[in-house]
């Protein structure tokens, strides 16, 4: 199993991949698009993507990429996220003039950052990549928000630990593959659909699941780029699409949804 992930060593995506399979061969990629390309080109068997965080919300870009590339979701995992303020050895908090991190990392530490008067907040492509940058460029007036693994790997010092706004900070990751075989018994399905622009259309769409006692664990609308003020609806269902009740619900939805696509049926993550 070779898993492509966005970032460098010490990235949270790397930690999630290792939590899922600690013997997997890992392939770092510069951007989320490169993760999909690695799987598309056969350089990796699977890709892992953060999809939502309990503080920062949804990573919308990855929902768009799931739809664009058509790689099925085959598994998920959740990872507790603990952020640290990381500096070169000897740098004090008073010396820090800039803090670098991925936009999600910055959003998850907004309260802490607000208390740093006069400090510039700079968004980068990766949490661990920010730690790598301040190390390689010997920045003594800058800090990164990243993992403890990133600090250890790049030989940096943790100035403050657990700086995220809430202790229960979790990120959900999805695994994609060209092989649609789920990595375990599937009990969850992700779909994307549209509804007609008429009264009660969304109610009718959701009723096909309520009538069959299928719970929705997520529902989110996203704008359709080339159709102003029209929306895609992404939904997570607590059911395997092959189950009779789920199959019938999807067939029912397809009768009046202008478009409907299943992005994957896969095992939900259960912490040991």
């Amino acid at each position: 199993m070779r898993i492509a992930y966005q970032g460098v060593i010490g990235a949270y995506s790397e930690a999630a991949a290792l939590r899922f399979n600690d013997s997997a061969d890992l392939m770092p990629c510069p951007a989320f698009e490169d993760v999909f390309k690695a799987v598309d080109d056969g350089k990796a068997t699977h890709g892992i993507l953060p999809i939502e965080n309990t503080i920062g919300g949804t990573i919308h870009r990855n929902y768009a990429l799931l739809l664009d590339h058509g790689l099925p979701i085959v598994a998920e995992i959740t990872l507790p996220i603990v952020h640290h303020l990381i500096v070169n050895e000897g740098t004090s908090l008073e010396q820090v003039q800039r803090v670098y991190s991925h936009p999600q990392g910055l959003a998850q530490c907004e309260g802490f950052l607000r208390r740093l008067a006069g400090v510039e907040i700079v968004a980068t492509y990766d949490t661990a990549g920010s730690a790598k940058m301040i190390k390689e460029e010997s920045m003594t007036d800058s800090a990164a928000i990243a993992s403890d693994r990133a600090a250890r790997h790049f030989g940096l010092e943790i100035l403050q630990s657990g700086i995220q706004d809430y202790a229960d900070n979790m990120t959900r990751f999805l695994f994609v593959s060209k092989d649609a075989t789920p990595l375990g018994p599937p009990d969850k399905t992700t779909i994307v659909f549209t509804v007609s622009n008429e009264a009660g259309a969304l109610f009718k769409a959701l009723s096909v699941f309520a009538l069959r006692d299928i719970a929705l664990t997520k529902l989110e609308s996203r704008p359709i780029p080339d159709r102003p003020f029209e929306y895609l609806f992404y939904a997570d269902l607590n059911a395997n699409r092959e189950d009779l009740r789920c199959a019938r619900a999807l067939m029912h939805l397809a009768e009046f949804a202008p478009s409907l696509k299943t992005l994957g049926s896969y095992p939900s993550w259960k912490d040991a």
Side-chain angles (χ1 to χ4, degrees):
M1 186 179 197
R2 189 168 204 223
I3 304 173
Y5 70 93
Q6 186 272 328
V8 300
I9 294 173
Y12 292 106
S13 292
E14 181 205 35
L18 289 172
R19 188 181 195 204
F20 189 86
N21 184 345
D22 60 8
S23 62
D25 180 21
L26 302 184
M27 178 182 175
C29 299
F32 293 130
E33 289 85 349
D34 298 311
V35 172
F36 282 91
K37 189 174 189 307
V39 178
D40 276 328
D41 294 346
K43 294 178 180 177
T45 60
H46 297 81
I48 186 170
L49 305 152
I51 199 68
E52 61 177 324
N53 175 265
T54 53
I55 299 176
T58 300
I59 294 89
H60 296 124
R61 178 61 183 150
N62 285 338
Y63 268 124
L65 289 170
L66 281 169
L67 199 56
D68 291 345
H69 287 265
L71 292 175
I73 304 166
V74 295
E76 72 170 4
I77 187 172
T78 58
L79 180 75
I81 304 295
V82 180
H83 288 303
H84 306 274
L85 189 69
I86 297 170
V87 296
N88 275 292
E89 189 174 354
T91 298
S92 67
L93 186 60
E94 291 70 28
Q95 291 174 284
V96 173
Q97 297 180 19
R98 285 172 296 279
V99 176
Y100 297 89
S101 195
H102 187 276
Q104 277 283 328
L106 298 174
Q108 292 162 32
C109 303
E110 185 178 354
F112 172 82
L113 294 171
R114 201 180 298 122
R115 296 192 292 271
L116 299 180
V119 173
E120 181 184 2
I121 310 304
V122 185
T124 63
Y125 77 99
D126 184 38
T127 53
S130 300
K132 180 182 179 183
M133 179 182 66
I134 68 169
K135 176 65 175 181
E136 291 182 345
E137 298 184 18
S138 300
M139 296 180 178
T140 57
D141 61 351
S142 300
I145 292 176
S147 67
D148 58 348
R149 175 171 164 79
R152 292 194 307 270
H153 179 75
F154 295 111
L156 296 167
E157 181 181 333
I158 294 177
L159 202 57
Q160 292 199 31
S161 296
I163 63 171
Q164 66 276 4
D165 290 344
Y166 299 94
D168 290 333
N169 185 24
M170 307 282 289
T171 295
R172 175 176 169 237
F173 296 81
L174 299 177
F175 288 86
V176 296
S177 176
K178 291 176 79 172
D179 181 356
T181 305
L183 300 178
D187 60 358
K188 191 171 187 178
T189 299
T190 297
I191 63 171
V192 58
F193 63 94
T194 58
V195 296
S196 301
N197 187 16
E198 58 186 45
L202 183 58
F203 172 81
K204 291 176 186 176
L206 299 181
S207 70
V208 306
F209 305 112
L211 289 170
R212 296 169 176 87
D213 293 323
I214 297 173
L216 271 68
T217 58
K218 183 178 177 67
L219 177 66
E220 182 159 348
S221 63
R222 295 296 301 150
I224 302 174
D226 56 348
R227 289 155 59 183
F229 306 111
E230 294 186 41
Y231 298 89
L232 293 165
F233 292 90
Y234 290 87
D236 290 340
L237 317 174
N238 264 3
N240 177 3
R241 66 180 166 191
E242 300 299 330
D243 291 347
L244 185 58
R245 65 194 178 109
C246 188
R248 285 178 171 171
L250 294 176
M251 288 175 63
H252 191 179
L253 177 59
E255 290 177 8
F256 54 84
S259 68
L260 169 64
K261 184 174 183 179
T262 300
L263 297 180
S265 206
Y266 52 93
S268 59
W269 177 254
K270 299 173 181 65
D271 284 310

